[in-house]
Amino acid sequence: MSDSLWIVLLGAPGCGKGTQAEFLVSENGFSIISVGEMLRANKSKFIEKENKTIGEIISGGTLLPDDVVMDLVSDELSKIKQVSSKNLIFDGFPRTVGQATSLNSLISKFGKKIDCVLNFDIEDEVIKKRILGRYKCSKCGKIYNDFFLKPRNEGICDICGCEVFDRRADDNEESLQKRLSEYHKKTVALKDFYESSGILKSVNADADFSEVRKSVLNNLNLG
């Protein structure tokens, strides 16, 4: 690829876009700005207008103010050396039309535009099982799920034999319902925004992993 490719991955929490992003990074040479990871890394930062920390806002299931997110994204872009020449993924961002418009303005300063937006389609009921059922080994980080992927021996990690597992604090019914409600309410217009630009592509996120991977690559003309 002679020109760098800047893409956006859209999808509700638990749709699998993060996993696909990891493969694009490891197998296809992309750099990534993962807003979810970025927010967790800055969870202790206090937001005066909300009178809460970023971590407290996230745990409540609501979205951060657009200006706060944009400041964090701008900082992350500035940390990537020769960013204009990189293939770059925005994972889980933007989440509102306001953020999308601000992102276009921000990246234009680098002489860039969003080339493709992949929308990961999946039913809410599948998402609930993925999120509410997920946990990981506290030692090696192996991911498991109560519905889809249990350890071969109950309570014992397949990889390292550890018997201690962790669940994310925001992986609960109340928080998830708020996150899904916020997602659907604010991203319907966002999908229309990108579709009107002719760059929105759909991915069936409920398919087998290999099929999702194939669809991602084909939509990016990397297959």
Side-chain angles (χ1 to χ4, degrees), residues 24-62:
L24 287 172
V25 170
S26 63
E27 303 294 331
N28 301 97
F30 279 80
S31 296
I32 185 170
I33 291 182
S34 174
V35 172
E37 291 298 322
M38 185 176 65
L39 295 181
R40 284 188 283 275
N42 288 274
K43 64 182 180 181
S44 61
K45 184 174 182 178
F46 188 78
I47 308 302
E48 289 188 9
K49 66 171 66 175
E50 300 293 322
N51 197 32
K52 294 179 181 178
T53 64
I54 285 178
E56 289 171 337
I57 298 171
I58 294 173
S59 296
T62 56

Side-chain angles (χ1 to χ4, degrees), residues 24-163:
L24 287 172
V25 170
S26 63
E27 303 294 331
N28 301 97
F30 279 80
S31 296
I32 185 170
I33 291 182
S34 174
V35 172
E37 291 298 322
M38 185 176 65
L39 295 181
R40 284 188 283 275
N42 288 274
K43 64 182 180 181
S44 61
K45 184 174 182 178
F46 188 78
I47 308 302
E48 289 188 9
K49 66 171 66 175
E50 300 293 322
N51 197 32
K52 294 179 181 178
T53 64
I54 285 178
E56 289 171 337
I57 298 171
I58 294 173
S59 296
T62 56
L63 298 180
L64 284 166
D66 288 352
D67 60 330
V68 174
V69 178
M70 290 309 305
D71 285 345
L72 292 172
V73 170
S74 181
D75 287 344
E76 286 298 306
L77 279 173
S78 68
K79 295 176 184 177
I80 302 176
K81 293 182 179 179
Q82 299 179 323
V83 67
S84 296
S85 64
K86 305 286 188 182
N87 295 323
L88 186 64
I89 301 165
F90 292 95
D91 175 19
F93 168 85
R95 292 187 177 182
T96 66
V97 172
Q99 288 179 6
T101 302
S102 296
L103 178 62
N104 285 345
S105 297
L106 174 61
I107 66 177
S108 69
K109 298 175 182 177
F110 298 89
K112 300 298 299 180
K113 62 181 178 63
I114 298 300
D115 300 293
C116 183
V117 178
L118 297 181
N119 182 53
F120 286 65
D121 289 319
I122 191 169
E123 296 293 329
D124 282 1
E125 289 307 310
V126 178
I127 287 175
K128 288 178 181 179
K129 287 184 177 180
R130 286 186 178 185
I131 290 184
L132 298 180
R134 70 184 176 186
Y135 58 100
K136 68 178 181 179
C137 173
S138 63
K139 184 176 181 181
C140 72
K142 167 70 175 174
I143 301 294
Y144 296 97
N145 189 286
D146 293 322
F147 302 99
F148 306 118
L149 184 63
K150 294 182 179 181
R152 288 191 297 269
N153 296 306
E154 185 175 356
I156 302 175
C157 178
D158 296 343
I159 304 300
C160 68
C162 180
E163 299 181 21

